[in-house]
Amino acid sequence: MVTRSNPRSTVAVSIADRRPRTEPILTVQFTVCMPDYDALMPAIRIIRRTQLPPAEAWRRLTDWERHGAQVPFTRTIVGTAPPTDVGTLFTARTGVGGITFDDPMEVVHWQPPDGSSAGLVKLVKRGRVVRGGAEIEVRPVAAGGAEVHWIEDLSLRGLPRALDPLVAWAGRLVFSRALHRLLAG
């Protein structure tokens, strides 16, 4: 026998004597947990080693105007006076002819490498089309040179979630190429 005393109560089942019980035999409680939308974005992680000293690798990777030259049909406009620090604003403008979109970014963490410690810059993408963030970390290597960790979390407004693998693939291709060129000179 299945009983329900009110809509907020738990369903009770009495097997032995077929009379309704006032206390539940079994209570099942669950919560549907969904991560934040940002956690669902395609994450792109690229790791490269270079013979450049960490300070030089950092200088090349945080020269925001050079970033635009490494991405096809893109130029970077820095909207804040040098030097770069927390609060620096810049925009990567991508497009051909009159069809363009802006990818405005803000530096929210700025810690250049210092001797044996790693450098880390965190960016937040504040655009209407491109959302997410990026991190570039430059780690000194004991044998000399540096190891660069570039992480991008992207969300392109208006694209269905089913296209995330394609976005991640294209992003990995573009950012790998840009990283290689930025470190090369």
mmCIF file of all heavy atoms in Angstrom, residues 37-44 101 103 125-133 152-161 164 167-168:
data_model
loop_
_atom_site.group_PDB
_atom_site.id
_atom_site.type_symbol
_atom_site.label_atom_id
_atom_site.label_comp_id
_atom_site.label_asym_id
_atom_site.label_seq_id
_atom_site.Cartn_x
_atom_site.Cartn_y
_atom_site.Cartn_z
ATOM 1 N N TYR A 37 28.357 27.838 -15.528
ATOM 2 C CA TYR A 37 28.520 27.818 -16.976
ATOM 3 C C TYR A 37 29.995 27.926 -17.343
ATOM 4 O O TYR A 37 30.456 27.265 -18.255
ATOM 5 C CB TYR A 37 27.727 28.957 -17.624
ATOM 6 C CG TYR A 37 27.867 28.976 -19.115
ATOM 7 C CD1 TYR A 37 27.178 28.051 -19.886
ATOM 8 C CD2 TYR A 37 28.703 29.874 -19.746
ATOM 9 C CE1 TYR A 37 27.309 28.041 -21.255
ATOM 10 C CE2 TYR A 37 28.843 29.866 -21.118
ATOM 11 C CZ TYR A 37 28.138 28.954 -21.874
ATOM 12 O OH TYR A 37 28.278 28.931 -23.229
ATOM 13 N N ASP A 38 30.751 28.753 -16.597
ATOM 14 C CA ASP A 38 32.171 28.922 -16.901
ATOM 15 C C ASP A 38 32.925 27.596 -16.817
ATOM 16 O O ASP A 38 33.879 27.374 -17.546
ATOM 17 C CB ASP A 38 32.814 29.923 -15.947
ATOM 18 C CG ASP A 38 32.308 31.334 -16.184
ATOM 19 O OD1 ASP A 38 31.671 31.568 -17.238
ATOM 20 O OD2 ASP A 38 32.548 32.190 -15.325
ATOM 21 N N ALA A 39 32.488 26.708 -15.916
ATOM 22 C CA ALA A 39 33.175 25.428 -15.775
ATOM 23 C C ALA A 39 32.918 24.515 -16.966
ATOM 24 O O ALA A 39 33.629 23.544 -17.168
ATOM 25 C CB ALA A 39 32.729 24.732 -14.491
ATOM 26 N N LEU A 40 31.903 24.818 -17.758
ATOM 27 C CA LEU A 40 31.588 23.988 -18.907
ATOM 28 C C LEU A 40 32.290 24.441 -20.183
ATOM 29 O O LEU A 40 32.206 23.789 -21.206
ATOM 30 C CB LEU A 40 30.076 24.002 -19.148
ATOM 31 C CG LEU A 40 29.226 23.441 -18.019
ATOM 32 C CD1 LEU A 40 27.754 23.680 -18.321
ATOM 33 C CD2 LEU A 40 29.502 21.981 -17.796
ATOM 34 N N MET A 41 32.953 25.582 -20.132
ATOM 35 C CA MET A 41 33.608 26.111 -21.327
ATOM 36 C C MET A 41 34.751 25.195 -21.762
ATOM 37 O O MET A 41 35.370 24.543 -20.936
ATOM 38 C CB MET A 41 34.194 27.488 -21.035
ATOM 39 C CG MET A 41 33.191 28.558 -20.807
ATOM 40 S SD MET A 41 34.051 30.103 -20.655
ATOM 41 C CE MET A 41 33.377 30.694 -19.143
ATOM 42 N N PRO A 42 35.035 25.185 -23.051
ATOM 43 C CA PRO A 42 36.162 24.382 -23.496
ATOM 44 C C PRO A 42 37.464 24.960 -22.972
ATOM 45 O O PRO A 42 37.749 26.132 -23.175
ATOM 46 C CB PRO A 42 36.106 24.472 -25.023
ATOM 47 C CG PRO A 42 35.038 25.415 -25.366
ATOM 48 C CD PRO A 42 34.313 25.811 -24.136
ATOM 49 N N ALA A 43 38.228 24.164 -22.253
ATOM 50 C CA ALA A 43 39.506 24.603 -21.717
ATOM 51 C C ALA A 43 40.615 24.204 -22.680
ATOM 52 O O ALA A 43 40.646 23.078 -23.171
ATOM 53 C CB ALA A 43 39.741 23.997 -20.346
ATOM 54 N N ILE A 44 41.488 25.138 -22.932
ATOM 55 C CA ILE A 44 42.626 24.909 -23.812
ATOM 56 C C ILE A 44 43.872 25.098 -22.963
ATOM 57 O O ILE A 44 44.034 26.140 -22.330
ATOM 58 C CB ILE A 44 42.609 25.912 -24.981
ATOM 59 C CG1 ILE A 44 41.325 25.743 -25.791
ATOM 60 C CG2 ILE A 44 43.851 25.761 -25.844
ATOM 61 C CD1 ILE A 44 40.985 26.934 -26.649
ATOM 62 N N PHE A 101 34.619 41.645 -34.739
ATOM 63 C CA PHE A 101 34.155 41.559 -33.360
ATOM 64 C C PHE A 101 35.331 41.848 -32.454
ATOM 65 O O PHE A 101 36.487 41.637 -32.797
ATOM 66 C CB PHE A 101 33.501 40.203 -33.039
ATOM 67 C CG PHE A 101 34.449 39.056 -32.974
ATOM 68 C CD1 PHE A 101 35.056 38.696 -31.782
ATOM 69 C CD2 PHE A 101 34.729 38.311 -34.110
ATOM 70 C CE1 PHE A 101 35.929 37.627 -31.727
ATOM 71 C CE2 PHE A 101 35.592 37.232 -34.066
ATOM 72 C CZ PHE A 101 36.195 36.889 -32.866
ATOM 73 N N ASP A 103 37.292 41.521 -28.704
ATOM 74 C CA ASP A 103 37.529 40.650 -27.565
ATOM 75 C C ASP A 103 38.235 41.495 -26.501
ATOM 76 O O ASP A 103 39.450 41.453 -26.373
ATOM 77 C CB ASP A 103 38.389 39.455 -28.009
ATOM 78 C CG ASP A 103 38.680 38.485 -26.877
ATOM 79 O OD1 ASP A 103 38.113 38.632 -25.779
ATOM 80 O OD2 ASP A 103 39.507 37.573 -27.099
ATOM 81 N N LYS A 125 38.036 38.005 -20.041
ATOM 82 C CA LYS A 125 37.480 38.470 -21.312
ATOM 83 C C LYS A 125 36.119 39.095 -21.017
ATOM 84 O O LYS A 125 35.254 38.449 -20.452
ATOM 85 C CB LYS A 125 37.358 37.305 -22.294
ATOM 86 C CG LYS A 125 38.723 36.741 -22.664
ATOM 87 C CD LYS A 125 38.595 35.519 -23.533
ATOM 88 C CE LYS A 125 39.952 35.001 -23.935
ATOM 89 N NZ LYS A 125 40.578 35.762 -24.980
ATOM 90 N N ARG A 126 35.959 40.346 -21.412
ATOM 91 C CA ARG A 126 34.772 41.106 -21.042
ATOM 92 C C ARG A 126 33.889 41.464 -22.237
ATOM 93 O O ARG A 126 33.109 42.394 -22.171
ATOM 94 C CB ARG A 126 35.187 42.386 -20.320
ATOM 95 C CG ARG A 126 36.056 42.139 -19.101
ATOM 96 C CD ARG A 126 35.574 42.923 -17.938
ATOM 97 N NE ARG A 126 36.426 42.792 -16.776
ATOM 98 C CZ ARG A 126 36.141 42.015 -15.750
ATOM 99 N NH1 ARG A 126 35.058 41.284 -15.768
ATOM 100 N NH2 ARG A 126 36.929 41.966 -14.709
ATOM 101 N N GLY A 127 34.000 40.709 -23.315
ATOM 102 C CA GLY A 127 33.265 41.049 -24.527
ATOM 103 C C GLY A 127 31.850 40.521 -24.564
ATOM 104 O O GLY A 127 31.437 39.730 -23.723
ATOM 105 N N ARG A 128 31.109 40.974 -25.570
ATOM 106 C CA ARG A 128 29.753 40.486 -25.780
ATOM 107 C C ARG A 128 29.765 39.167 -26.524
ATOM 108 O O ARG A 128 28.844 38.370 -26.393
ATOM 109 C CB ARG A 128 28.938 41.508 -26.549
ATOM 110 C CG ARG A 128 28.584 42.724 -25.703
ATOM 111 C CD ARG A 128 27.718 43.680 -26.454
ATOM 112 N NE ARG A 128 28.558 44.333 -27.454
ATOM 113 C CZ ARG A 128 28.118 45.117 -28.408
ATOM 114 N NH1 ARG A 128 26.846 45.350 -28.520
ATOM 115 N NH2 ARG A 128 28.943 45.680 -29.252
ATOM 116 N N VAL A 129 30.794 38.908 -27.326
ATOM 117 C CA VAL A 129 30.865 37.680 -28.116
ATOM 118 C C VAL A 129 31.757 36.647 -27.431
ATOM 119 O O VAL A 129 31.363 35.504 -27.237
ATOM 120 C CB VAL A 129 31.393 37.969 -29.542
ATOM 121 C CG1 VAL A 129 31.552 36.675 -30.327
ATOM 122 C CG2 VAL A 129 30.467 38.926 -30.265
ATOM 123 N N VAL A 130 32.967 37.038 -27.071
ATOM 124 C CA VAL A 130 33.926 36.119 -26.450
ATOM 125 C C VAL A 130 33.930 36.365 -24.947
ATOM 126 O O VAL A 130 34.140 37.484 -24.495
ATOM 127 C CB VAL A 130 35.343 36.315 -27.024
ATOM 128 C CG1 VAL A 130 36.307 35.326 -26.394
ATOM 129 C CG2 VAL A 130 35.341 36.163 -28.531
ATOM 130 N N ARG A 131 33.702 35.296 -24.178
ATOM 131 C CA ARG A 131 33.699 35.366 -22.718
ATOM 132 C C ARG A 131 34.702 34.353 -22.195
ATOM 133 O O ARG A 131 35.150 33.483 -22.918
ATOM 134 C CB ARG A 131 32.307 35.043 -22.166
ATOM 135 C CG ARG A 131 31.177 35.884 -22.728
ATOM 136 C CD ARG A 131 31.216 37.289 -22.302
ATOM 137 N NE ARG A 131 30.911 37.349 -20.881
ATOM 138 C CZ ARG A 131 30.757 38.477 -20.221
ATOM 139 N NH1 ARG A 131 30.879 39.602 -20.830
ATOM 140 N NH2 ARG A 131 30.482 38.463 -18.944
ATOM 141 N N GLY A 132 35.027 34.460 -20.928
ATOM 142 C CA GLY A 132 35.936 33.502 -20.309
ATOM 143 C C GLY A 132 37.155 34.191 -19.752
ATOM 144 O O GLY A 132 37.083 35.314 -19.262
ATOM 145 N N GLY A 133 38.293 33.521 -19.839
ATOM 146 C CA GLY A 133 39.516 34.073 -19.290
ATOM 147 C C GLY A 133 40.730 33.342 -19.815
ATOM 148 O O GLY A 133 40.621 32.361 -20.548
ATOM 149 N N GLU A 152 43.367 28.828 -21.705
ATOM 150 C CA GLU A 152 42.245 29.654 -22.179
ATOM 151 C C GLU A 152 40.953 28.919 -21.875
ATOM 152 O O GLU A 152 40.825 27.737 -22.159
ATOM 153 C CB GLU A 152 42.327 29.868 -23.700
ATOM 154 C CG GLU A 152 43.431 30.758 -24.162
ATOM 155 C CD GLU A 152 43.060 32.227 -24.211
ATOM 156 O OE1 GLU A 152 41.858 32.571 -24.179
ATOM 157 O OE2 GLU A 152 43.990 33.034 -24.279
ATOM 158 N N ASP A 153 40.016 29.625 -21.303
ATOM 159 C CA ASP A 153 38.646 29.130 -21.139
ATOM 160 C C ASP A 153 37.766 30.029 -21.980
ATOM 161 O O ASP A 153 37.661 31.220 -21.703
ATOM 162 C CB ASP A 153 38.212 29.184 -19.677
ATOM 163 C CG ASP A 153 38.915 28.144 -18.835
ATOM 164 O OD1 ASP A 153 39.004 26.997 -19.305
ATOM 165 O OD2 ASP A 153 39.360 28.470 -17.731
ATOM 166 N N LEU A 154 37.178 29.462 -23.010
ATOM 167 C CA LEU A 154 36.429 30.259 -23.984
ATOM 168 C C LEU A 154 34.950 29.939 -23.979
ATOM 169 O O LEU A 154 34.553 28.795 -23.801
ATOM 170 C CB LEU A 154 36.942 29.973 -25.398
ATOM 171 C CG LEU A 154 38.363 30.359 -25.710
ATOM 172 C CD1 LEU A 154 38.719 29.890 -27.099
ATOM 173 C CD2 LEU A 154 38.546 31.853 -25.598
ATOM 174 N N SER A 155 34.179 30.960 -24.239
ATOM 175 C CA SER A 155 32.759 30.807 -24.497
ATOM 176 C C SER A 155 32.420 31.799 -25.592
ATOM 177 O O SER A 155 32.733 32.983 -25.473
ATOM 178 C CB SER A 155 31.957 31.124 -23.239
ATOM 179 O OG SER A 155 30.590 31.218 -23.543
ATOM 180 N N LEU A 156 31.844 31.315 -26.661
ATOM 181 C CA LEU A 156 31.431 32.194 -27.750
ATOM 182 C C LEU A 156 29.917 32.306 -27.707
ATOM 183 O O LEU A 156 29.208 31.322 -27.947
ATOM 184 C CB LEU A 156 31.906 31.652 -29.099
ATOM 185 C CG LEU A 156 33.419 31.546 -29.249
ATOM 186 C CD1 LEU A 156 33.779 30.924 -30.586
ATOM 187 C CD2 LEU A 156 34.069 32.904 -29.109
ATOM 188 N N ARG A 157 29.437 33.479 -27.368
ATOM 189 C CA ARG A 157 27.999 33.705 -27.233
ATOM 190 C C ARG A 157 27.300 33.422 -28.560
ATOM 191 O O ARG A 157 27.758 33.821 -29.615
ATOM 192 C CB ARG A 157 27.744 35.141 -26.805
ATOM 193 C CG ARG A 157 26.261 35.393 -26.568
ATOM 194 C CD ARG A 157 26.032 36.660 -25.873
ATOM 195 N NE ARG A 157 26.416 36.450 -24.470
ATOM 196 C CZ ARG A 157 26.578 37.436 -23.615
ATOM 197 N NH1 ARG A 157 26.431 38.659 -23.977
ATOM 198 N NH2 ARG A 157 26.913 37.180 -22.372
ATOM 199 N N GLY A 158 26.206 32.708 -28.479
ATOM 200 C CA GLY A 158 25.411 32.409 -29.659
ATOM 201 C C GLY A 158 25.721 31.061 -30.287
ATOM 202 O O GLY A 158 24.968 30.586 -31.118
ATOM 203 N N LEU A 159 26.831 30.429 -29.887
ATOM 204 C CA LEU A 159 27.156 29.107 -30.434
ATOM 205 C C LEU A 159 26.584 28.022 -29.524
ATOM 206 O O LEU A 159 26.692 28.114 -28.306
ATOM 207 C CB LEU A 159 28.671 28.903 -30.537
ATOM 208 C CG LEU A 159 29.389 29.599 -31.666
ATOM 209 C CD1 LEU A 159 30.859 29.206 -31.662
ATOM 210 C CD2 LEU A 159 28.781 29.275 -33.011
ATOM 211 N N PRO A 160 26.000 26.985 -30.085
ATOM 212 C CA PRO A 160 25.479 25.906 -29.245
ATOM 213 C C PRO A 160 26.614 25.135 -28.570
ATOM 214 O O PRO A 160 27.738 25.059 -29.076
ATOM 215 C CB PRO A 160 24.719 25.012 -30.224
ATOM 216 C CG PRO A 160 25.128 25.430 -31.587
ATOM 217 C CD PRO A 160 25.729 26.790 -31.497
ATOM 218 N N ARG A 161 26.324 24.575 -27.412
ATOM 219 C CA ARG A 161 27.296 23.808 -26.620
ATOM 220 C C ARG A 161 27.882 22.657 -27.439
ATOM 221 O O ARG A 161 29.005 22.253 -27.215
ATOM 222 C CB ARG A 161 26.636 23.251 -25.358
ATOM 223 C CG ARG A 161 25.948 24.257 -24.498
ATOM 224 C CD ARG A 161 26.810 25.168 -23.677
ATOM 225 N NE ARG A 161 27.881 24.463 -23.031
ATOM 226 C CZ ARG A 161 29.010 25.042 -22.674
ATOM 227 N NH1 ARG A 161 29.195 26.319 -22.908
ATOM 228 N NH2 ARG A 161 29.958 24.386 -22.089
ATOM 229 N N ASP A 164 31.371 23.136 -28.802
ATOM 230 C CA ASP A 164 32.527 23.343 -27.913
ATOM 231 C C ASP A 164 33.779 22.584 -28.358
ATOM 232 O O ASP A 164 34.874 23.142 -28.319
ATOM 233 C CB ASP A 164 32.182 22.985 -26.471
ATOM 234 C CG ASP A 164 31.387 24.084 -25.785
ATOM 235 O OD1 ASP A 164 31.184 25.152 -26.408
ATOM 236 O OD2 ASP A 164 30.972 23.868 -24.633
ATOM 237 N N VAL A 167 35.327 24.588 -31.103
ATOM 238 C CA VAL A 167 35.906 25.822 -30.550
ATOM 239 C C VAL A 167 37.243 25.510 -29.873
ATOM 240 O O VAL A 167 38.230 26.223 -30.068
ATOM 241 C CB VAL A 167 34.929 26.495 -29.560
ATOM 242 C CG1 VAL A 167 35.597 27.630 -28.808
ATOM 243 C CG2 VAL A 167 33.695 26.995 -30.293
ATOM 244 N N ALA A 168 37.285 24.433 -29.089
ATOM 245 C CA ALA A 168 38.526 24.048 -28.402
ATOM 246 C C ALA A 168 39.617 23.686 -29.412
ATOM 247 O O ALA A 168 40.771 24.085 -29.260
ATOM 248 C CB ALA A 168 38.272 22.881 -27.454
#
